[in-house]
Amino acid sequence: MTSVERMNATKFDLVPDPRGGAMAIAPRTGRIIQPGEVLLRTAALTTSLVPKWKGKRCDWCCRRREELKACSRCKNAFYCDSDCQAISWKSHHRKLCGILAKGFHFSASYLGQSTEQKTNSDLLLNLYGSLLLHDEGRLSGKASESQREILDVELLQENALMCFWALGPLQLGQSRPSPALPKGLPSGHLATLNAAWSRFDNNNFVLHNISSLEPEAGAYAHGIFPLASRCFNHSCVPNAWPAFMLQDKTAWIEIRALDFIKEGQEITIPYLDPALPLIERRNRLQQAYGFICDCPRCMIEGRMAHPSGPVPNESLLQEELISYALPQLRIHDLRTTLELLKSLPRHLWSIRNPDFIKHLTETFENQSHDGPYEDAWRSGKALLALCLILYPRYHPLTGYYALELGKACWNAQVAENTESHWLQRLASILDFAESSLQVAGAEEEDEIASGILTVQKIRSLMESKYI
């Protein structure tokens, strides 16, 4: 796919949602969307780095760099090079440089905020700069109802600010207090910024790398992607997911299919981690977005007892979990999340306990590095089985955990230094990981998914040394 094709990638229709607003559906073209297809690729309206990445990533394109160029005036913005600096200047920084030079980032109101609030302060301020430069006439802060009813994806794609104002604002009492802003802004502008905050408080995205296996550790920025926010509703069993790419000096979001999607079927993404317990998911969604989730998964789990208390006989539970959800290592032949949940035996309900999920993850991570490797093989397969129940079958986390299990198999083979059953295990788990990671695709700056490259490297070493 060329850069121009990537820039304009949209493979869905936007239609009125009977529940209110709009929703994306697979186009009625007679074909089924395949796992891995990019359904939307669109650039950020604006982004802001998480504070720990300030000075380590470019304030425009978000890329990691050993050396960055500081803005000579405000000393608060850092760039890859003069090109990123010039683009940022034209986008928003020209209106913000003087404000930042007065020390906003060292003010008590800014420093007294949480990491999330600081990131949102910068995001709101960057948006303010864009409005001053490109949409000053809209500083009334209100979008007309006709704009909120626009369903023309191409038109919304071409005008990100118009698409942003077409987002429905949260009602009074739903949105959180606005993050800190510099003192001395015109009162009329503050009203506009409050109206903007009511739109992106629950619509911005956290740019992160799922391949880190730690969503919070992998977060590096927040971003406003109005078209993605406008089009895609939430589901706890989504058939697509948002990936973030840093290419062509731009931060992009790609909505990628996770499953086969039939024509006319709604395309959904997760607004939070689907592995969270049902009660926590529903509470978070109601607090942040104002709705109680009634997706098929929530309805199924609503009929199950809430998992709590210690998990009895964890070793036996791991074996039963593998037998139920991962009877073989051919990912294309495995059951879907909903199929697994619908018939989940009562004695396995406890696997949804967050303590069990955390402990199993930690157990596998420890065993995969230091052994015993037979135990790592069992706990790793149990973790994959758990992922298949909690996440869509082709979710990238499943692929990355499969890859970690492949590394454990390689470590075991090297330790034994002889032909053994580890080679057969290694070959099968690498095939499993590759099938999943090919669907997941690349993240951040990778043209090819780094996980795929690791699979290929291990397979090459295996063939050169043992075959």
Side-chain angles (χ1 to χ4, degrees):
M1 184 181 288
T2 68
S3 60
V4 173
E5 288 172 331
R6 287 200 302 260
M7 187 182 302
N8 296 317
T10 53
K11 294 184 179 178
F12 61 90
D13 293 331
L14 190 61
V15 300
D17 186 345
R19 299 161 294 189
M23 64 179 184
I25 64 170
R28 302 183 186 279
T29 58
R31 67 177 294 273
I32 296 175
I33 292 174
Q34 302 295 303
E37 283 194 47
V38 176
L39 308 176
L40 171 69
R41 178 182 169 92
T42 187
L45 172 59
T46 192
T47 61
S48 63
L49 293 174
V50 173
K52 72 176 183 179
W53 286 108
K54 287 287 285 185
K56 299 176 183 178
R57 287 178 179 265
C58 175
D59 272 296
W60 173 252
C61 72
C62 300
R63 289 189 179 210
R64 287 174 291 186
R65 289 291 181 264
E66 292 296 326
E67 295 184 7
L68 293 167
K69 179 180 180 180
C71 173
S72 59
R73 183 185 181 193
C74 72
K75 311 294 186 185
N76 274 259
F78 301 86
Y79 303 103
C80 294
D81 50 36
S82 57
D83 290 338
C84 278
Q85 186 172 11
I87 298 170
S88 178
W89 184 261
K90 294 177 182 178
S91 169
H92 59 263
H93 193 65
R94 180 159 64 91
K95 290 291 187 179
L96 304 180
C97 190
I99 296 174
L100 295 176
K102 295 177 181 179
F104 170 61
H105 283 153
F106 300 98
S107 66
S109 61
Y110 181 84
L111 293 175
Q113 301 180 110
S114 67
T115 295
E116 181 187 15
Q117 290 170 328
K118 290 175 183 175
T119 311
N120 282 331
S121 278
D122 291 334
L123 191 64
L124 189 54
L125 198 56
N126 289 347
L127 178 63
Y128 178 53
S130 294
L131 290 172
L132 288 173
L133 281 170
H134 308 292
D135 202 12
E136 192 168 5
R138 293 295 304 275
L139 287 176
S140 62
K142 292 183 181 281
S144 68
E145 291 301 320
S146 61
Q147 285 178 315
R148 295 191 191 128
E149 294 170 359
I150 293 175
L151 300 176
D152 187 328
V153 175
E154 291 186 5
L155 178 61
L156 294 171
Q157 174 87 306
E158 291 171 0
N159 193 324
L161 279 172
M162 180 183 72
C163 186
F164 173 76
W165 289 112
L167 297 174
L170 286 173
Q171 300 302 312
L172 185 64
Q174 281 187 312
S175 62
R176 298 173 295 175
S178 175
L181 290 168
K183 294 181 179 179
L185 299 183
S187 58
H189 292 187
L190 288 175
T192 299
L193 291 176
N194 284 329
W197 170 246
S198 74
R199 285 166 169 80
F200 84 68
D201 179 21
N202 70 329
N203 278 306
N204 64 346
F205 287 83
V206 177
L207 282 69
H208 65 283
N209 293 316
I210 262 189
S211 57
S212 71
L213 303 182
E214 300 177 43
E216 291 185 6
Y220 55 88
H222 289 191
I224 302 175
F225 299 88
L227 187 58
S229 298
R230 170 73 168 154
C231 297
F232 298 100
N233 291 325
H234 164 81
S235 175
C236 299
V237 57
N239 52 22
W241 73 289
F244 302 97
M245 300 294 295
L246 307 178
Q247 295 175 336
D248 304 322
K249 293 193 175 296
T250 304
W252 303 85
I253 190 172
E254 289 188 354
I255 305 299
R256 300 174 183 168
L258 280 177
D259 209 337
F260 299 94
I261 307 175
K262 299 177 181 179
E263 59 177 331
Q265 183 179 348
E266 184 177 9
I267 302 168
T268 57
I269 61 175
Y271 288 2
L272 41 63
D273 185 354
L276 293 171
L278 170 66
I279 294 175
E280 185 172 352
R281 293 200 312 269
R282 281 185 160 172
N283 286 342
R284 287 194 185 189
L285 290 168
Q286 186 173 21
Q287 291 171 7
Y289 302 96
F291 69 87
I292 297 176
C293 186
D294 61 354
C295 72
R297 173 174 173 176
C298 285
M299 300 305 289
I300 293 172
E301 288 194 70
R303 297 190 288 270
M304 299 179 182
H306 178 66
S308 61
V311 175
N313 200 335
E314 185 170 322
S315 295
L316 178 60
L317 193 62
Q318 287 183 21
E319 293 289 356
E320 292 179 338
L321 183 56
I322 295 167
S323 176
Y324 175 71
L326 191 66
Q328 39 79 18
L329 286 173
R330 293 186 300 276
I331 192 169
H332 306 302
D333 298 331
L334 296 173
R335 288 181 287 177
T336 67
T337 296
L338 285 182
E339 290 170 339
L340 289 168
L341 282 171
K342 283 179 181 177
S343 54
L344 187 67
R346 184 177 291 271
H347 70 277
L348 288 180
W349 285 5
S350 58
I351 60 142
R352 300 175 298 124
N353 188 324
D355 291 336
F356 173 73
I357 298 170
K358 180 181 179 181
H359 185 258
L360 179 58
T361 303
E362 292 175 347
T363 298
F364 168 64
E365 289 175 349
N366 293 333
Q367 293 172 345
S368 65
H369 290 102
D370 305 319
Y373 292 117
E374 282 295 339
D375 291 349
W377 176 250
R378 183 183 67 240
S379 63
K381 287 181 67 179
L383 185 56
L384 286 181
L386 185 60
C387 283
L388 291 167
I389 293 173
L390 300 177
Y391 296 99
R393 173 170 45 175
Y394 293 103
H395 193 278
L397 270 181
T398 305
Y400 283 111
Y401 278 126
L403 178 56
E404 292 300 306
L405 183 53
K407 293 176 184 177
C409 291
W410 174 255
N411 292 338
Q413 174 61 36
V414 171
E416 293 189 7
N417 197 29
T418 182
E419 288 194 24
S420 69
H421 61 285
W422 286 111
L423 285 178
Q424 184 177 358
R425 288 177 172 179
L426 178 58
S428 62
I429 198 63
L430 288 180
D431 288 342
F432 184 98
E434 188 172 41
S435 296
S436 177
L437 293 172
Q438 282 176 338
V439 170
E443 289 187 285
E444 200 166 327
E445 299 179 50
D446 301 323
E447 289 293 340
I448 302 175
S450 58
I452 292 291
L453 293 179
T454 304
V455 168
Q456 294 170 349
K457 181 178 180 180
I458 296 175
R459 187 176 282 130
S460 177
L461 287 171
M462 180 180 68
E463 292 174 351
S464 64
K465 190 169 183 178
Y466 296 104
I467 298 178

